[in-house]
Amino acid sequence: MHPGDVAARLLLFLAANGTAVLDCFCNHVNGGYQSNGLNGLNFAEITIWLNYCRYPRAYSLLETCENLEALLAVVPAVARLVQPPGGVEHCAGAPAVIRDLTGPSARDEAFTTEHRCLVAADCIDSCYAQGLDGVEWDIQTLATDHLRRPVLSQLLHAVYRISKATRAAMGCADVHPWNLHQKNLHTSEVPAVYSVFLEHLSNYSRDAAQLLSLGVTHVSQLFVPLAYEHVDTRPNDEQLHGWIKDVERVRDMLRMKLRGLVHDLQSVSEMMVNYKIEKDENNPGNYLIRRPLLNHQLLSYHEQYLSFHDELSALCEQQHPKSSQMFALADALYSLCRNNWIETARIFNEGNSSHIYTVDEEWELEDRSYATLSVDTNCMQLLANALDHPTCPLEDLPPETITQREQCRVQLWTDVMERSPHIPVTSYLAYTQRTNVNLCLLAWMTVNSFSICQDVPFSMIQSVRDARCFFSSPAHKSCPEFNATGAICSFSRAVLLLKCRDFSLNKHSELCSVTLHPDGSYSNKSNVPWIKRLKGHIEPTQRTLNYKASLNSATLKYKDFRIDSLKVLEISFIAINIVFRFLTAGVYMYLPQLRNLPGKIFLSFQLTGIIQILCSEVMYRMTGFPKLSTAVQIDSSLTLLSCIWLNSFCYQMYACIRHLRLPNDLLPAEASEVFRRQVLYALIPWGIVSAASISLENTSNYYMIHSRIILLAAISFSIALNLILLGLVGYMYLRNRRFMLRLRISTNHKFGSKKQLVFLSVKTVFLSGVGIIARTGFHQAQGIAQFVYCVHIATMAQGPLLFVFFICNESTLPLFKATLLAWWNPDIVRSRRELCSAAERNLAKRPDIQHSSEESSM
């Protein structure tokens, strides 16, 4: 029989009966000839045996050498995935057909490229465990041998066939000739040949991704029974339920890692047709392959080996015994899939030709990778807590914690999309609401294995797509394909791996490779030569740790007011401030002489300050009500209202000097009318600014910066107006004084004593609002949070200072003292009323005298 006819006959036979006949032939040979080796097999059978039954001859596992012992403990479990299934069954005539392949050309024709491609294509349709699509392992099924072992055997057989089909698919793709390698190819033929090659490569990658997806499904299904049989534990019935739950969580973690690889390989298969080839103008006869940014090289950024055992064993071992073996099994299975399936599927041999070069698209990010962003402090605190106090992933998280993590992912992505490097701070509470953080530090803290992205699959293709779309889009315009619940994780992974080289480094550990043989034996060796290709496992640099330490020790501690040494001092200052503000307001309400127009305005200023302190320092700090964003709005709005009251006060000072009319000259009714008008003038602009700010901030977080700018601009404008009015008052005083000197009027009385000058200067500073703008401006600085905290405590001394400089002066204090004494003893003669005191006393006694005379007449 002609060799070509024999090969065609085998090809038709396999197409009709599927590649299961080859597996059956291998089982037949194993059962019938294993004792005699390959004796008794003809040339064709030996060829099929060497090219299919015994191919591949070994698989490799990759692990750090310090964890090699843990890996070796689970190697027998992983070895079962690469061992051929046993048993001899009826093979539908396969041995006879294969035995008919004779002749010296059988080696070339018996297992051709078409046969390899047929093996891969057939496995896509048939390499699945029938009836086990949604298999779940309960206590009864797992603990019963005759229920567990058939299912496990079926899954192992499916995984074994997938491994062989993956290797066969590689042979199918790799042996196809690519005529572009030939130098004598005409230039006009290059695009057409290259287009055919890309289509072939894309089809292969798509088929390989389907095989891998099927393999990941089966590996996930057999993880639990494999762990049950090989992990050194035998839990009783009471413990088995919890043990199954733990193993399933490790399985889900493994599946999530592998699913990301499969997703990226599927994406690569779709993008390969976009590769372009062109002549190299600088080197005639050479060609350039221009690959887009999203190309197959991004697959190398997936972790070469997992670190579950490294990072989680010590964390989980106490609460979950034998969890380290579960993590080691997951690491080993990932290594098997990563190094024998994924690496096998990554075929793109444009580098095999000396006259073909590749040029990748550049991702221009400039220096924005080191930009500073303003983000929510609560979410940064959550990230810091997750890193400082990591939890075992096998633990049950409270529902509120899971919800908080999802909300923080959305909030952080919203903050990143806003791209605001700094949101103005209008109050000390606003300082605790937002924090400025380096973009790379945020990326590292977000995608750390202990952080909030544990349940978000890793897809390097999606990560680069999201990051490129973000940086190439105009500000305040989001990309339509973003998924808000996981976009911050995807974006941060791309930024950290590709553009934050000063914030992360690859962990260059010494690696050991363990080789698995089909007979169940294994061998290991160290010092893997391609260690420098490893990417994906990120370790923080010293710069990262310094940034994080500064953030944690300053801004985040300031947010929760954790400076214990100043706690008592802070509470004392707040209490003293409230007491003296109430005393000052009480004096202005009690003394009739102070209830003039400026006194009423100053009383309004005091009452506004009291309400502000009670809301921010007492109600929010002690009860947590209202929420922080609302408390910031109230605090900022009341700060603005205080500045507007100072505007009214300064204007009255200016009006009095300009019209040479003292405040006490106004009649009570006239003073009340003017005060009501001043209140209206104050509340209208305050209401407009506050309503605009609150509306913007409550509409969307994107408008928070505009809201804060409106409030800050209004406060700055108000204080600038105070300074202008006080400047006019000073100018008019100096002008009038100069005019008085021209009249040559001299007196021995000075303008005022040094004490009076000090009192007047401090009052001017209070009324100008310079302290408010200085405090607000000081809050804009970042990285000095503890100093801001000290400034905040110092501002609590405002109450006593107001009492001293506005009550304890030479005009108000004697009046207040005399009023108190008169209230205590009405017969005491008050100051400046001595001349008419006797007449007043006689007049007061007249009713008593008249009443006594009437009684005597009766």
Side-chain angles (χ1 to χ4, degrees):
M1 182 181 294
H2 191 274
D5 295 336
V6 175
R9 178 184 172 188
L10 177 60
L11 191 63
L12 292 173
F13 182 79
L14 294 177
N17 297 279
T19 56
V21 296
L22 291 179
D23 296 324
C24 190
F25 166 75
C26 295
N27 292 339
H28 181 79
V29 174
N30 284 336
Y33 299 97
Q34 191 172 12
S35 59
N36 298 322
L38 298 181
N39 296 330
L41 297 179
N42 64 16
F43 187 79
E45 291 173 325
I46 293 175
T47 302
I48 297 297
W49 172 261
L50 294 177
N51 287 276
Y52 182 80
C53 297
R54 297 290 293 176
Y55 181 81
R57 295 172 176 81
Y59 296 85
S60 61
L61 302 181
L62 192 65
E63 184 55 84
T64 57
C65 293
E66 59 266 24
N67 288 328
L68 183 61
E69 184 176 352
L71 184 68
L72 295 179
V74 297
V75 162
V78 183
R80 296 185 62 180
L81 276 67
V82 300
Q83 292 178 5
V88 180
E89 55 183 295
H90 182 63
C91 297
V97 174
I98 294 173
R99 181 172 285 274
D100 288 342
L101 297 173
T102 58
S105 61
R107 180 182 299 275
D108 299 325
E109 299 291 345
F111 209 75
T112 61
T113 300
E114 287 76 10
H115 297 141
R116 294 182 185 274
C117 296
L118 182 62
V119 168
D122 179 73
C123 188
I124 294 176
D125 298 326
S126 61
C127 289
Y128 62 91
Q130 298 181 357
L132 300 179
D133 294 338
V135 60
E136 291 293 338
W137 296 97
D138 54 20
I139 296 177
Q140 181 180 2
T141 305
L142 192 63
T144 307
D145 291 346
H146 70 274
L147 295 177
R148 180 187 71 256
R149 287 175 179 172
V151 176
L152 180 59
S153 177
Q154 189 176 356
L155 290 171
L156 290 171
H157 187 196
V159 171
Y160 174 77
R161 291 186 60 195
I162 291 171
S163 296
K164 296 182 70 64
T166 302
R167 295 297 182 99
M170 179 188 67
C172 171
D174 204 27
V175 299
H176 271 71
W178 187 20
N179 292 331
L180 193 59
H181 289 171
Q182 301 173 5
K183 287 243 183 193
N184 58 359
L185 189 64
H186 194 273
T187 304
S188 60
E189 299 175 338
V190 171
V193 174
Y194 183 69
S195 178
V196 172
F197 171 74
L198 284 181
E199 184 178 358
H200 160 70
L201 198 61
S202 177
N203 293 335
Y204 157 73
S205 299
R206 184 190 63 247
D207 294 343
Q210 293 182 19
L211 281 174
L212 292 175
S213 178
L214 191 61
V216 169
T217 300
H218 290 337
V219 167
S220 301
Q221 290 172 336
L222 61 80
F223 186 84
V224 176
L226 207 63
Y228 182 81
E229 291 193 356
H230 292 273
V231 171
D232 185 19
T233 183
R234 277 295 181 267
N236 54 38
D237 293 341
E238 296 179 356
Q239 300 172 339
L240 187 58
H241 177 74
W243 184 88
I244 293 176
K245 189 176 180 180
D246 292 343
V247 177
E248 287 178 343
R249 287 183 176 174
V250 179
R251 175 203 64 191
D252 294 340
M253 294 166 61
L254 172 64
R255 179 166 52 191
M256 184 181 67
K257 292 287 187 180
L258 293 174
R259 282 296 174 192
L261 279 165
V262 173
H263 175 272
D264 280 359
L265 191 59
Q266 291 172 339
S267 300
V268 166
S269 67
E270 299 172 358
M271 286 180 257
M272 280 184 175
V273 293
N274 298 324
Y275 294 4
K276 304 298 182 183
I277 190 169
E278 61 186 36
K279 291 188 298 182
D280 188 354
E281 300 295 340
N282 298 325
N283 300 294
N286 293 332
Y287 300 94
L288 294 178
I289 297 177
R290 296 196 177 274
R291 297 184 302 205
L293 177 63
L294 304 177
N295 61 64
H296 66 281
Q297 293 295 332
L298 292 177
L299 292 173
S300 63
Y301 284 92
H302 284 272
E303 292 172 304
Q304 292 281 352
Y305 60 96
L306 289 186
S307 301
F308 287 169
H309 185 271
D310 261 352
E311 298 176 350
L312 305 176
S313 295
L315 197 62
C316 299
E317 187 65 25
Q318 185 174 359
Q319 291 81 10
H320 304 272
K322 305 299 180 182
S323 61
S324 61
Q325 296 186 24
M326 303 176 195
F327 293 130
L329 180 60
D331 288 358
L333 289 176
Y334 178 87
S335 181
L336 177 70
C337 299
R338 177 73 168 84
N339 297 293
N340 299 281
W341 291 358
I342 305 296
E343 291 298 327
T344 299
R346 289 177 57 209
I347 299 297
F348 195 79
N349 53 0
E350 75 275 13
N352 292 343
S353 176
S354 59
H355 62 286
I356 298 176
Y357 304 93
T358 59
V359 179
D360 290 337
E361 177 187 352
E362 290 291 334
W363 178 27
E364 296 295 340
L365 190 56
E366 299 175 355
D367 60 349
R368 284 176 291 181
S369 61
Y370 300 99
T372 300
L373 296 177
S374 178
V375 299
D376 183 77
T377 313
N378 287 330
C379 292
M380 287 304 300
Q381 185 72 65
L382 182 66
L383 295 180
N385 291 341
L387 295 178
D388 295 337
H389 308 285
T391 58
C392 174
L394 305 183
E395 299 290 339
D396 290 322
L397 293 177
E400 56 271 15
T401 301
I402 299 175
T403 303
Q404 186 182 18
R405 288 186 175 186
E406 293 177 352
Q407 291 174 347
C408 271
R409 290 206 298 260
V410 176
Q411 176 66 50
L412 288 174
W413 180 240
T414 302
D415 295 336
V416 170
M417 289 300 297
E418 175 62 22
R419 309 183 190 193
S420 174
H422 181 76
I423 293 182
V425 178
T426 52
S427 69
Y428 80 97
L429 283 179
Y431 192 95
T432 68
Q433 186 187 21
R434 313 286 298 180
T435 182
N436 291 350
V437 62
N438 184 278
L439 175 61
C440 291
L441 178 64
L442 174 65
W444 177 79
M445 295 181 70
T446 301
V447 300
N448 189 279
S449 57
F450 298 113
S451 194
I452 61 176
C453 293
Q454 296 177 6
D455 58 337
V456 178
F458 176 77
S459 169
M460 195 61 195
I461 299 294
Q462 186 64 40
S463 295
V464 175
R465 181 185 289 117
D466 290 348
R468 184 177 63 171
C469 184
F470 170 83
F471 284 109
S472 60
S473 298
H476 308 290
K477 179 181 178 182
S478 60
C479 296
E481 63 268 21
F482 284 144
N483 177 15
T485 58
I488 185 64
C489 303
S490 179
F491 168 82
S492 297
R493 284 162 177 158
V495 171
L496 186 64
L497 287 172
L498 300 178
K499 296 298 178 179
C500 294
R501 309 202 182 275
D502 291 341
F503 279 79
S504 62
L505 52 87
N506 297 323
K507 185 180 180 181
H508 287 182
S509 302
E510 184 181 6
L511 295 187
C512 292
S513 176
V514 180
T515 303
L516 303 178
H517 303 284
D519 59 359
S521 62
Y522 62 89
S523 58
N524 59 282
K525 61 180 180 180
S526 59
N527 298 324
V528 180
W530 32 274
I531 174 65
K532 293 184 179 181
R533 287 201 303 116
L534 289 178
K535 297 176 182 178
H537 188 81
I538 302 301
E539 289 291 321
T541 61
Q542 190 59 43
R543 181 180 183 185
T544 312
L545 297 177
N546 292 340
Y547 267 92
K548 179 181 174 294
S550 174
L551 181 73
N552 190 58
S553 63
T555 304
L556 299 183
K557 282 191 175 183
Y558 175 78
K559 172 188 176 296
D560 290 335
F561 298 98
R562 295 176 182 171
I563 306 180
D564 298 331
S565 60
L566 299 179
K567 197 74 173 180
V568 177
L569 182 64
E570 178 196 5
I571 296 175
S572 302
F573 269 57
I574 292 173
I576 293 173
N577 188 16
I578 294 175
V579 169
F580 276 94
R581 278 185 177 270
F582 270 108
L583 286 176
T584 306
V587 171
Y588 269 78
M589 293 177 66
Y590 180 68
L591 293 179
Q593 293 83 350
L594 297 181
R595 290 201 293 269
N596 53 20
L597 181 59
K600 290 180 178 180
I601 296 175
F602 184 76
L603 180 61
S604 301
F605 168 77
Q606 279 292 82
L607 293 177
T608 301
I610 291 173
I611 295 173
Q612 182 178 4
I613 294 172
L614 291 178
C615 288
S616 60
E617 297 294 340
V618 178
M619 188 167 63
Y620 172 75
R621 291 280 301 280
M622 295 182 64
T623 66
F625 177 84
K627 63 181 182 179
L628 181 58
S629 58
T630 305
V632 168
Q633 292 174 351
I634 294 174
D635 193 73
S636 304
S637 182
L638 291 177
T639 300
L640 174 62
L641 183 58
S642 298
C643 294
I644 295 178
W645 290 130
L646 295 180
N647 289 147
S648 299
F649 193 95
C650 293
Y651 175 76
Q652 290 303 319
M653 292 176 60
Y654 166 75
C656 289
I657 294 182
R658 181 184 179 188
H659 299 291
L660 299 178
R661 187 178 185 183
L662 295 177
N664 292 332
D665 294 341
L666 297 175
L667 296 176
E670 185 181 1
S672 299
E673 178 65 24
V674 175
F675 175 69
R676 285 193 293 268
R677 192 162 57 246
Q678 291 293 326
V679 170
L680 184 63
Y681 292 159
L683 293 182
I684 288 176
W686 174 73
I688 293 174
V689 172
S690 298
S693 175
I694 293 172
S695 300
L696 284 173
E697 196 160 334
N698 290 340
T699 299
S700 173
N701 285 334
Y702 290 124
Y703 303 121
M704 179 181 293
I705 184 172
H706 307 296
S707 170
R708 299 289 174 79
I709 289 175
I710 289 175
L711 277 172
L712 195 60
I715 293 173
S716 302
F717 175 78
S718 176
I719 294 175
L721 186 59
N722 287 339
L723 295 175
I724 292 174
L725 290 172
L726 291 174
L728 289 175
V729 170
Y731 167 74
M732 288 188 293
Y733 162 74
L734 293 176
R735 185 188 63 179
N736 293 338
R737 186 183 181 188
R738 186 171 62 253
F739 289 159
M740 295 296 290
L741 292 176
R742 289 180 181 178
L743 297 176
R744 301 181 182 277
I745 298 175
S746 60
T747 177
N748 293 328
H749 297 286
K750 295 182 179 180
F751 173 76
S753 63
K754 291 183 178 180
K755 179 180 178 182
Q756 289 175 330
L757 290 175
V758 170
F759 271 61
L760 182 60
S761 302
V762 174
K763 284 182 178 181
T764 303
V765 172
F766 271 115
L767 297 178
S768 67
V770 171
I772 296 176
I773 198 65
R775 185 182 69 232
T776 305
F778 192 82
H779 287 170
Q780 310 305 317
Q782 292 292 319
I784 52 174
Q786 293 186 359
F787 295 100
V788 174
Y789 179 73
C790 296
V791 170
H792 163 65
I793 294 178
T795 58
M796 291 297 103
Q798 189 177 28
L801 290 176
L802 286 173
F803 183 84
V804 170
F805 290 101
F806 283 85
I807 302 298
C808 300
N809 52 46
E810 295 180 356
S811 60
T812 305
L813 184 60
L815 185 62
F816 179 54
K817 180 180 178 181
T819 305
L820 288 178
L821 292 176
W823 175 79
W824 183 263
N825 187 358
D827 293 333
I828 295 178
V829 179
R830 286 179 288 176
S831 176
R832 298 180 183 179
R833 303 192 64 181
E834 293 84 356
L835 295 177
C836 56
S837 59
E840 288 181 351
R841 286 197 298 271
N842 292 332
L843 186 62
K845 292 179 180 180
R846 288 188 62 184
D848 297 333
I849 297 173
Q850 183 179 359
H851 181 68
S852 301
S853 62
E854 291 178 354
E855 288 182 352
S856 62
S857 63
M858 290 179 64

